Amino acid sequence: MITGKNYIGNTLSAKGSKTYQTFNPKANTKNTTSFVEATPEEIDAAVALASQAFDTYQKVSGAKRAEFLNTIADEMEALGDTLVDMYVSESGLPEGRAKGERGRTLGQLRMFADLIQTEDWRNPTISGEHNELRQYLIPLGPVVVFGASNFPLAYSTAGGDTASALAAGCPVIVKSHPMHAGTGELVASAIQRAAEKTGMPDGVFSNLNSAGIEVGVQLVKHPKVKAVGFTGSIKGGRALYDLAAERDEPIPVFAEMGSINPVIITQNAVEARASEIAQTYADSITLGVGQFCTNPGLIIGVASTEFTNFINDLGEKTAAIDANCMLHPNIHTAYEKNGKSVISQPDATIVAVHQGTVEENYAQAKITTVSGDAFLKNSKLHQEVFGPFSLVVQCKNEAQLLEIISTLEGQLTGTIIAQEEDYKDLSPLIERLQNRVGRIVFNGVPTGVAVVDAMTHGGPYPASTDSRFTAVGNQSIKRWVRPFSFQDFPEQLLPEFLKNQ
Amino acid sequence: MITGKNYIGNTLSAKGSKTYQTFNPKANTKNTTSFVEATPEEIDAAVALASQAFDTYQKVSGAKRAEFLNTIADEMEALGDTLVDMYVSESGLPEGRAKGERGRTLGQLRMFADLIQTEDWRNPTISGEHNELRQYLIPLGPVVVFGASNFPLAYSTAGGDTASALAAGCPVIVKSHPMHAGTGELVASAIQRAAEKTGMPDGVFSNLNSAGIEVGVQLVKHPKVKAVGFTGSIKGGRALYDLAAERDEPIPVFAEMGSINPVIITQNAVEARASEIAQTYADSITLGVGQFCTNPGLIIGVASTEFTNFINDLGEKTAAIDANCMLHPNIHTAYEKNGKSVISQPDATIVAVHQGTVEENYAQAKITTVSGDAFLKNSKLHQEVFGPFSLVVQCKNEAQLLEIISTLEGQLTGTIIAQEEDYKDLSPLIERLQNRVGRIVFNGVPTGVAVVDAMTHGGPYPASTDSRFTAVGNQSIKRWVRPFSFQDFPEQLLPEFLKNQ
């Protein structure tokens, strides 16, 4: 069923000579399929086909595009255990997670299908002295999508970026994530079957294999590509953003990147329920082996005996949770390296490290701590350590805590853990935190991103490259569309939904 | 009344030694006031004050910000003839235009005031399984505005960019346009008085003088600046875009730049009403001495005897219109130079040039023509000639006309001049044109931009740096805001309009 080839629209293609395999981190072995890296000619062909498909696809009715999205979901579902097994073999994540993420992915596809059943999402507007102006949203053109290492389904081949772009009327070219190329190909095959079954133009979707950076670079530089979606590291997202900004015709890049998701715990909360918070956070820090963009990598409080006790308790509870394997040896290596970098900074110390049996590719969870003074001075302590890692900052007082929040880099989320008696004093904290993040969670954990209208999954740089958009929920479609106006148009030349009646 | 100083919030400041004067193109003399260029320290002070003001200003209620905007309009109106006279002396534009543009500017300020009387524009949204997510739009932070040479009021100091940013809750720092620094200072003084009268924080608005590029460069690079608005040339807008993209923290730049605004005339329209179209376009091409971003600089049709006659008629009618002075000698020089560049291209010829008496700084209107073959091959023929200039392209057939449209650079507008019998055949043209422009006008002229909700004033690059936004109308506020979500927040800590009731 898996061929290792590229999908150039409806055509399987493998003209290149470079190949690579995916890795099973749990078994600590390579998987068998060889994936053939796309050649410059294949990339050109995919983009040319996408550009051609755009002429047709942008005119396909919302109801027909919705049928396409729903059929993608059906075809993915029909892959059944084949998809789940492939996912597990390429990620080391448990079967339950695979099934949960599949459900989320199908849900997203169907949500966008619902959205575009009517044309309301295009925000049709009529105004002017004589109603002479009629505006609606139109698609930008071919979109390139770079999937995430940590969400082989929900933020990859048929994930949120692809679903929202296809919903908007933009053809999509996926730069397949090398860590789960097999999962990617299975999903690509589902999309391709759905496109054929629902009569979509050839080239509305392509899937290109790549283990290096060349394919992505060529795609982002291609004059016929009109926008880019990316989920991953700051380094990767920034590189694509720079390439896109340097083009003769710059194009928008929405990159959802790094975040350490600060959690602020008040003294009252520590005094009232330290043990409960410690358990909740030990679980959140180690959930999915800490491999979430919303992982709580930074916990901030004012130094006190109770806070010290909390930190030790959090360390013990985190260290006690069973270790598990990371997505890939490279991710494990980066986890070790980045963790060491934080711990080697002046004043940083380890509170606790998981001590149980640890197999190859398994991450040892770590809780570390540092003073507010040191944290303020040293931006190396602000770096994301992707994995089950958190740094607890002990501020000397409330003012220092606020200063840290104000000067923090942009984040996807911030969390406030507080008691009712704190409410009256929280405004300064909320205001500062709001200016640095896309979402504030109250007395909860940042891990978990609901796919609903009111979700903001994005935030000030470097959480994203453009805080004016969200990567999750119906509103994420806005990344791929632009307003357009007809002026003084004869009724018969207008789209149906812009006519007078 | 005019001091030549910078406004650093409420404080007049002139610490620099570099000065410059504005120019009266009609009288062909320098105006007397010396404007003192802002120093690096003054720029820093203005940004620091804006950043500090943001903490307060973002919390000011919509009703209070509306009062501020309305008071700016009142204070501008109260300047009466002083403002009109200054405008005329710095632009050479007639008094009627000054008054019309003032009306538009006051109208824009009051329109945004109306918009923010309620919080609906923030798009408050509640969702999630237990209504736990509450999203609304929040301001980005200090915005730097670069005004336009050709709209000393409506797209400058208190123009659309400033009005929309202040409405959004963002402090504004204006980089004053050197050609109308006196008009800018008068308007800045009105804004400053309005800020004091309505109790806005010091630093919510600053106005910095500059005749060179250094002030703008420092502003765009400043870490505390969070967005940029620009109206002007492609070269200028692109330079700012590049600076913003190269920052450690890239920031959005909305630049509304060049456009040649293609007008397509069908053979049927030429046959039915060539003379009427020629007069309408002679008037549109020379309106405001052609100094509009929506000036019809490109007219396209299929070669025929009737089209040739139309071109000659257009030339005669355009040349017959009285010449007038351009905004500034530099603009006049650029007009001559850019026109010569187009005319010197292979196959380009002059149809007609205004032959009446021409004084210093006056522009001679020009109609030129070229074959479709030559136009397709040579992008130098696609350059904007800012002024009363238009190039008529004679295509060899309908297919070539469509090819030209498909391969044209992005434009603010496109116009179709057609007869009812053409309607059934127009889809291919409309589709291609729609992908290249922000607005299509039918049987009209592109000059004239209504300030209404359904207006799109923007378009694919290089018409703007981000086609997903418009520079005109209520929706232009979206350039300066981002979505933000509260999750699981206690009712009492939410803004009023996000509460349950």
Side-chain angles (χ1 to χ4, degrees):
Chain A
M1 193 148 191
I2 293 289
T3 68
K5 296 182 179 180
N6 303 283
Y7 272 97
I8 317 286
N10 295 338
T11 309
L12 280 167
S13 179
K15 297 190 173 152
S17 52
K18 272 197 255 178
T19 62
Y20 59 95
Q21 292 161 272
T22 60
F23 194 86
N24 185 328
K26 205 125 202 171
N28 197 31
T29 56
K30 280 192 181 179
N31 293 308
T32 51
T33 308
S34 279
F35 294 90
V36 186
E37 186 125 7
T39 65
E41 293 69 32
E42 287 173 319
I43 298 167
D44 254 349
V47 178
L49 206 57
S51 184
Q52 203 179 302
F54 180 55
D55 291 343
T56 314
Y57 189 57
Q58 64 180 311
K59 289 183 279 178
V60 169
S61 72
K64 284 293 289 178
R65 291 203 312 282
E67 196 191 326
F68 176 33
L69 292 177
N70 281 326
T71 308
I72 296 173
D74 296 344
E75 290 289 334
M76 276 183 67
E77 215 164 6
L79 289 167
D81 287 346
T82 309
L83 182 61
V84 172
D85 294 346
M86 180 66 76
Y87 175 111
V88 170
S89 77
E90 293 187 320
S91 68
L93 293 168
E95 190 182 308
R97 160 72 190 270
K99 288 181 174 166
E101 194 181 326
R102 180 178 61 185
R104 183 191 185 90
T105 310
L106 305 183
Q108 288 177 164
L109 287 159
R110 288 167 181 152
M111 177 189 76
F112 283 110
D114 280 350
L115 178 71
I116 60 175
Q117 291 286 358
T118 75
E119 304 289 349
D120 291 350
W121 71 273
R122 288 175 180 264
N123 197 24
T125 309
I126 302 181
S127 55
E129 218 169 318
H130 313 286
N131 285 338
E132 73 274 19
L133 281 155
R134 287 155 205 264
Q135 188 190 54
Y136 71 130
L137 297 170
I138 63 173
L140 295 179
V143 173
V144 168
V145 170
F146 291 80
S149 64
N150 58 340
F151 280 91
L153 294 174
Y155 293 91
S156 288
T157 321
D161 287 0
T162 297
S164 55
L166 290 177
C170 298
V172 168
I173 301 156
V174 166
K175 204 291 281 174
S176 167
H177 199 289
M179 291 185 190
H180 37 75
T183 307
E185 187 185 332
L186 283 175
V187 174
S189 76
I191 300 175
Q192 189 271 330
R193 280 192 296 279
E196 288 206 287
K197 278 190 183 172
T198 57
M200 294 298 133
D202 189 14
V204 70
F205 178 80
S206 288
N207 185 56
L208 301 179
N209 294 325
S210 164
I213 63 163
E214 298 82 1
V215 172
V217 168
Q218 190 183 336
L219 282 169
V220 173
K221 284 180 156 180
H222 201 294
K224 288 186 171 170
V225 166
K226 298 302 177 191
V228 176
F230 170 90
T231 312
S233 69
I234 295 178
K235 200 177 149 205
R238 180 63 191 248
L240 297 180
Y241 175 88
D242 288 345
L243 282 174
E246 287 159 11
R247 289 167 49 121
D248 285 347
E249 178 195 347
I251 52 171
V253 173
F254 186 86
E256 189 252 277
M257 305 185 291
S259 187
I260 51 176
N261 305 296
V263 177
I264 297 94
I265 307 183
T266 68
Q267 178 66 17
N268 284 325
V270 172
E271 285 175 20
R273 50 193 173 99
S275 171
E276 171 210 325
I277 300 167
Q279 190 59 57
T280 302
Y281 271 82
D283 291 340
S284 177
I285 291 163
T286 56
L287 187 71
V289 201
Q291 299 165 122
F292 289 120
C293 49
T294 50
N295 193 58
L298 185 68
I299 295 170
I300 311 175
V302 174
S304 70
T305 313
E306 294 84 359
F307 195 53
T308 305
N309 293 341
F310 162 78
I311 296 168
N312 291 329
D313 189 27
L314 174 69
E316 270 174 45
K317 284 174 165 144
T318 304
I321 291 171
D322 284 347
N324 219 321
C325 71
M326 299 197 82
L327 293 155
H328 194 274
N330 293 351
I331 289 184
H332 184 241
T333 306
Y335 172 68
E336 289 295 335
K337 186 178 144 230
N338 295 334
K340 278 190 188 124
S341 160
V342 167
I343 295 156
S344 67
Q345 300 306 313
D347 198 43
T349 54
I350 296 177
V351 177
V353 179
H354 174 73
Q355 297 295 344
T357 323
V358 175
E359 298 179 47
E360 202 77 40
N361 309 318
Y362 275 46
Q364 289 179 289
K366 285 187 194 72
I367 300 297
T368 57
T369 189
V370 77
S371 70
D373 283 344
F375 187 82
L376 263 176
K377 277 200 295 252
N378 185 354
S379 67
K380 284 189 179 154
L381 290 164
H382 307 193
Q383 305 304 306
E384 182 179 10
V385 180
F386 190 72
F389 182 99
S390 203
L391 175 66
V392 186
V393 179
Q394 303 182 51
C395 302
K396 65 180 172 206
N397 52 36
E398 195 70 32
Q400 185 172 60
L401 188 151
L402 291 177
E403 190 187 351
I404 285 175
I405 299 303
S406 298
T407 56
L408 208 55
E409 295 79 9
Q411 307 288 341
L412 292 170
T413 73
T415 301
I416 297 172
I417 307 287
Q419 299 299 102
E420 207 161 339
E421 59 261 39
D422 294 317
Y423 290 5
K424 63 183 189 318
D425 305 315
L426 284 179
S427 292
L429 172 62
I430 293 172
E431 286 161 16
R432 281 167 180 76
L433 194 54
Q434 188 170 25
N435 282 327
R436 308 311 307 138
V437 310
R439 170 168 61 114
I440 303 183
V441 180
F442 204 83
N443 278 337
V445 293
T447 40
V449 180
V451 185
V452 296
D453 273 3
M455 170 56 72
T456 306
H457 191 61
Y461 186 90
S464 81
T465 44
D466 193 341
S467 66
R468 296 173 300 172
F469 298 91
T470 172
V472 167
N474 277 332
Q475 296 189 54
S476 65
I477 201 171
K478 293 182 184 166
R479 297 174 294 172
W480 322 121
V481 292
R482 64 182 174 94
F484 167 85
S485 303
F486 289 111
Q487 181 171 332
D488 288 323
F489 253 59
E491 187 85 351
Q492 70 187 89
L493 293 179
L494 288 167
E496 278 309 313
F497 60 94
L498 284 177
K499 290 184 178 175
N500 281 329
Q501 64 284 13
Chain B
M1 193 146 190
I2 294 289
T3 68
K5 295 182 179 178
N6 302 284
Y7 272 97
I8 315 287
N10 296 338
T11 308
L12 280 167
S13 179
K15 297 191 174 150
S17 51
K18 272 197 253 176
T19 63
Y20 59 96
Q21 293 161 272
T22 61
F23 193 86
N24 185 328
K26 205 125 200 170
N28 197 33
T29 56
K30 280 192 177 179
N31 293 307
T32 51
T33 308
S34 279
F35 294 91
V36 185
E37 187 124 9
T39 64
E41 293 70 30
E42 286 172 320
I43 298 166
D44 255 350
V47 178
L49 206 57
S51 184
Q52 201 180 304
F54 180 55
D55 291 343
T56 315
Y57 189 57
Q58 64 180 313
K59 288 184 278 179
V60 169
S61 72
K64 285 293 288 179
R65 290 202 313 282
E67 197 192 327
F68 175 35
L69 292 176
N70 281 326
T71 309
I72 295 173
D74 296 345
E75 290 289 333
M76 276 184 68
E77 215 164 8
L79 288 167
D81 286 346
T82 309
L83 182 60
V84 173
D85 294 348
M86 179 66 76
Y87 176 110
V88 170
S89 78
E90 292 187 321
S91 69
L93 294 168
E95 192 183 306
R97 161 69 190 270
K99 287 181 174 166
E101 195 181 324
R102 180 179 60 185
R104 184 192 184 89
T105 311
L106 306 183
Q108 286 177 163
L109 287 159
R110 289 168 180 151
M111 177 190 77
F112 283 110
D114 280 351
L115 179 71
I116 59 176
Q117 292 286 359
T118 74
E119 304 288 350
D120 291 350
W121 72 272
R122 287 176 181 263
N123 197 25
T125 309
I126 302 181
S127 55
E129 217 169 319
H130 312 286
N131 285 339
E132 72 274 20
L133 280 154
R134 287 156 205 261
Q135 188 190 52
Y136 71 130
L137 296 170
I138 64 172
L140 295 179
V143 173
V144 168
V145 171
F146 291 80
S149 63
N150 58 340
F151 279 91
L153 294 173
Y155 293 91
S156 288
T157 320
D161 288 359
T162 298
S164 55
L166 289 177
C170 298
V172 169
I173 300 157
V174 167
K175 204 291 284 174
S176 167
H177 199 288
M179 291 185 189
H180 37 75
T183 307
E185 187 186 330
L186 282 175
V187 174
S189 75
I191 300 175
Q192 188 271 329
R193 280 192 296 279
E196 288 206 287
K197 277 189 184 174
T198 57
M200 295 299 134
D202 189 15
V204 70
F205 178 80
S206 288
N207 185 55
L208 302 179
N209 294 324
S210 163
I213 63 162
E214 297 81 1
V215 173
V217 168
Q218 190 183 334
L219 281 169
V220 173
K221 285 178 155 179
H222 201 295
K224 288 186 171 171
V225 166
K226 297 302 178 191
V228 176
F230 170 91
T231 312
S233 70
I234 295 178
K235 201 180 149 201
R238 180 64 191 248
L240 297 180
Y241 175 87
D242 288 344
L243 281 174
E246 287 158 9
R247 288 166 50 121
D248 285 347
E249 178 196 348
I251 53 172
V253 172
F254 186 87
E256 187 251 279
M257 306 186 290
S259 185
I260 50 175
N261 304 295
V263 177
I264 297 94
I265 309 184
T266 68
Q267 177 66 15
N268 285 323
V270 172
E271 285 175 20
R273 49 193 173 100
S275 172
E276 171 212 323
I277 300 168
Q279 190 60 57
T280 302
Y281 270 82
D283 291 340
S284 177
I285 291 163
T286 55
L287 187 73
V289 201
Q291 298 166 121
F292 289 120
C293 50
T294 52
N295 193 59
L298 185 68
I299 296 171
I300 311 174
V302 174
S304 71
T305 313
E306 294 83 0
F307 195 53
T308 304
N309 293 340
F310 161 77
I311 296 169
N312 291 327
D313 189 29
L314 175 68
E316 271 174 44
K317 283 173 166 146
T318 304
I321 291 171
D322 286 348
N324 218 322
C325 70
M326 299 197 82
L327 294 154
H328 194 273
N330 293 350
I331 288 184
H332 184 241
T333 307
Y335 171 67
E336 289 295 335
K337 187 179 143 230
N338 295 333
K340 278 190 189 124
S341 160
V342 167
I343 294 156
S344 69
Q345 300 306 311
D347 197 43
T349 54
I350 296 178
V351 177
V353 179
H354 174 72
Q355 296 296 342
T357 325
V358 176
E359 298 179 46
E360 201 75 42
N361 309 320
Y362 276 46
Q364 291 179 288
K366 284 187 197 72
I367 300 298
T368 57
T369 189
V370 78
S371 70
D373 283 344
F375 187 82
L376 263 176
K377 277 199 294 252
N378 184 355
S379 67
K380 286 191 177 151
L381 291 163
H382 306 194
Q383 306 303 305
E384 183 180 11
V385 180
F386 189 72
F389 182 99
S390 200
L391 175 67
V392 186
V393 179
Q394 302 181 53
C395 300
K396 63 182 174 201
N397 52 37
E398 195 70 33
Q400 187 175 58
L401 187 151
L402 291 177
E403 191 187 349
I404 284 174
I405 300 301
S406 299
T407 56
L408 208 56
E409 296 79 8
Q411 307 288 339
L412 293 169
T413 73
T415 302
I416 297 171
I417 308 286
Q419 299 299 103
E420 208 162 337
E421 61 261 40
D422 293 317
Y423 290 5
K424 63 183 188 319
D425 305 316
L426 285 178
S427 293
L429 172 61
I430 294 172
E431 285 162 16
R432 280 166 180 78
L433 195 54
Q434 187 170 27
N435 281 328
R436 307 311 307 138
V437 310
R439 170 169 61 114
I440 304 183
V441 180
F442 203 83
N443 279 336
V445 294
T447 40
V449 180
V451 185
V452 296
D453 272 2
M455 171 56 73
T456 305
H457 192 60
Y461 185 89
S464 81
T465 44
D466 193 341
S467 66
R468 295 173 300 171
F469 297 92
T470 173
V472 168
N474 278 332
Q475 296 189 52
S476 65
I477 201 171
K478 292 182 185 166
R479 296 174 294 173
W480 322 122
V481 292
R482 63 181 175 94
F484 167 84
S485 302
F486 290 112
Q487 182 170 332
D488 288 324
F489 254 59
E491 187 85 352
Q492 69 187 91
L493 293 179
L494 288 167
E496 278 308 314
F497 61 93
L498 283 178
K499 289 184 178 174
N500 279 331
Q501 63 284 16

